[in-house]
Amino acid sequence: MPKLIIHSGTAQGHEFALKAGTNTLGRDDSNDFPIDDPSVSSFHAQIVVDSGSVLIKDLGSTNGTFILHSQVNEGVVQPGQFIRLGNVFLVLAADAPVPLGARSATPVVAPMAATSSAVQVRPAGPTSAPPVGSLNVTALGRAPAPAVRPMPEAPPPLVPVTASPAGATRTGTDFAEPPAGKTMCKHHHKTAGEWLCRKCNELFCTACVTTKKTSEGTNFFCRKCGGACVPVKVKFVAPKEKAQKKYSDTAILVRSLAFGFGGALLSALVWTGLSWLFGFDVPFIFCVLSAVICGFAVRFGSLNSPGAFFSVIAVVCCLLGSILGKVGMLVATHMTMLSPTYLGTSALGLLLSFVVAWKIGGSDT
């Protein structure tokens, strides 16, 4: 049966043996394969194994299910392909023997000197069945093919680790040594760095790299500089901390909305207070400030869960905070400015604030 391997940056990894039929994956302990990661939904996806084919179905997860770089609701997974559930990368490994037809067709022939005496000399006496493994040669080149029982082969290693010669390009299955003194992701300091960018020499987690199809297959690239990434041997030990409380998808949604609305009110109060205190109004600055406050509020409420859904919440809260801040400024200072320069900078600041809120709220920083 096929196996599902969680990429952990080690030679063994953590694997699940899939059973025939339906296999469920998610954060809840009642799943067939529970995955303890906040980016994975309680009941994220299911994998159906039927007649050698492997089909994955998304169960309405928050952060989506991906095969290679494409998000899918349902799709067939081929051996060796990567699957991503939220921030968690998995790879499907086949556990089937090599078919006989795929073996070498060249027969193994004993030396002729040893064979001639063995096949021409027969003991006297009644005819008996030839011993196992003997050859009955009637004419050179016309001997019937002996029945050969294929010897069992050892399964291939889970992840081959081979030394690359100097100057050679490493493949995606090789593991590199991390740079000296670096063990964690550049952007997520509580997460192990599993990918090394060959261009900027920085470590990243699986959420901070992207996949692209090339002539050699699907490879991983740095989102920062676009350089090729290779997996590294993880040596990161997370600091001891209190066990994080687990939240359901509904609770995370409510937290994101509540914190986002709170961020909108806070940004409106800051806008109103600074305008009243200093007697000026600069919407370009205040809109961007509102985006930063609302973006981080939604990010905190969603427990750093990436996704466009949380980005939309952050943008809406940013717009609400900007409107409330502008109204509060008008009530507190009674200033009205309608010059083309003022309106132009205000519109530019509002658009920039949407971009900032989108990137921060969706954890894309």
Side-chain angles (χ1 to χ4, degrees), residues 1-2 17-23 47-51:
M1 297 302 292
L18 297 174
K19 62 183 180 180
T22 303
N23 304 261
I47 294 180
V48 181
V49 180
D50 183 20
S51 301

Side-chain angles (χ1 to χ4, degrees), residues 303-325:
L303 303 177
N304 289 335
S305 300
F309 180 77
F310 299 106
S311 295
V312 172
I313 295 178
V315 170
V316 172
C317 292
C318 171
L319 178 61
L320 178 61
S322 300
I323 294 175
L324 294 178

Side-chain angles (χ1 to χ4, degrees), residues 135 259 265 320:
L135 298 177
F259 278 93
L265 293 180
L320 178 61

Side-chain angles (χ1 to χ4, degrees), residues 238-304:
K240 293 183 179 180
E241 57 184 18
K242 295 182 180 179
Q244 187 179 18
K245 184 179 179 180
K246 294 184 179 180
Y247 294 91
S248 64
D249 293 341
T250 303
I252 292 178
L253 173 61
V254 173
R255 279 173 54 92
S256 302
L257 293 172
F259 278 93
F261 182 73
L265 293 180
L266 177 61
S267 62
L269 290 176
V270 171
W271 189 335
T272 302
L274 292 178
S275 299
W276 174 80
L277 182 63
F278 296 103
F280 70 89
D281 179 35
V282 186
F284 183 88
I285 297 177
F286 289 144
C287 286
V288 175
L289 179 62
S290 175
V292 173
I293 295 175
C294 295
F296 278 107
V298 173
R299 185 171 181 171
F300 180 79
S302 65
L303 303 177
N304 289 335

Side-chain angles (χ1 to χ4, degrees), residues 111-128:
M112 184 59 68
T115 305
S116 59
S117 60
V119 299
Q120 292 178 3
V121 179
R122 296 181 181 274
T127 304
S128 59

Side-chain angles (χ1 to χ4, degrees), residues 59-342:
L59 300 180
S61 62
T62 302
N63 297 319
T65 300
F66 296 79
I67 299 178
L68 298 180
H69 63 290
S70 302
Q71 185 173 4
V72 297
N73 291 325
E74 180 176 324
V76 176
V77 186
Q78 302 296 334
Q81 287 186 331
F82 276 95
I83 305 170
R84 179 162 68 87
L85 308 180
N87 288 344
V88 179
F89 274 79
L90 309 98
V91 63
L92 179 66
D95 190 24
V98 179
L100 185 59
R103 303 180 189 272
S104 173
T106 305
V108 179
V109 181
M112 184 59 68
T115 305
S116 59
S117 60
V119 299
Q120 292 178 3
V121 179
R122 296 181 181 274
T127 304
S128 59
V132 178
S134 64
L135 298 177
N136 184 14
V137 180
T138 56
L140 184 61
R142 299 182 181 179
V148 179
R149 177 178 298 176
M151 296 297 293
E153 296 183 357
L158 185 59
V159 179
V161 182
T162 57
S164 298
T169 303
R170 300 181 66 93
T171 63
T173 56
D174 292 331
F175 286 92
E177 290 291 340
K182 295 183 179 180
T183 58
M184 63 185 68
C185 174
K186 178 177 175 59
H187 300 305
H188 303 95
H189 294 169
K190 293 184 180 181
T191 306
E194 297 182 275
W195 298 92
L196 172 64
C197 177
R198 289 298 194 184
K199 186 175 181 181
C200 63
N201 203 37
E202 295 287 353
L203 290 180
F204 301 98
C205 64
T206 52
C208 296
V209 296
T210 183
T211 57
K212 294 180 182 178
K213 283 188 174 181
T214 64
S215 59
E216 300 177 353
T218 301
N219 292 320
F220 293 81
F221 295 89
C222 175
R223 289 188 178 183
K224 177 183 176 183
C225 66
C229 295
V230 294
V232 298
K233 297 178 180 178
V234 177
K235 300 180 180 179
F236 175 77
V237 178
K240 293 183 179 180
E241 57 184 18
K242 295 182 180 179
Q244 187 179 18
K245 184 179 179 180
K246 294 184 179 180
Y247 294 91
S248 64
D249 293 341
T250 303
I252 292 178
L253 173 61
V254 173
R255 279 173 54 92
S256 302
L257 293 172
F259 278 93
F261 182 73
L265 293 180
L266 177 61
S267 62
L269 290 176
V270 171
W271 189 335
T272 302
L274 292 178
S275 299
W276 174 80
L277 182 63
F278 296 103
F280 70 89
D281 179 35
V282 186
F284 183 88
I285 297 177
F286 289 144
C287 286
V288 175
L289 179 62
S290 175
V292 173
I293 295 175
C294 295
F296 278 107
V298 173
R299 185 171 181 171
F300 180 79
S302 65
L303 303 177
N304 289 335
S305 300
F309 180 77
F310 299 106
S311 295
V312 172
I313 295 178
V315 170
V316 172
C317 292
C318 171
L319 178 61
L320 178 61
S322 300
I323 294 175
L324 294 178
K326 184 66 176 179
V327 172
M329 184 278 300
L330 292 174
V331 173
T333 63
H334 303 286
M335 292 188 302
T336 55
M337 291 179 284
L338 300 176
S339 65
T341 302
Y342 177 83

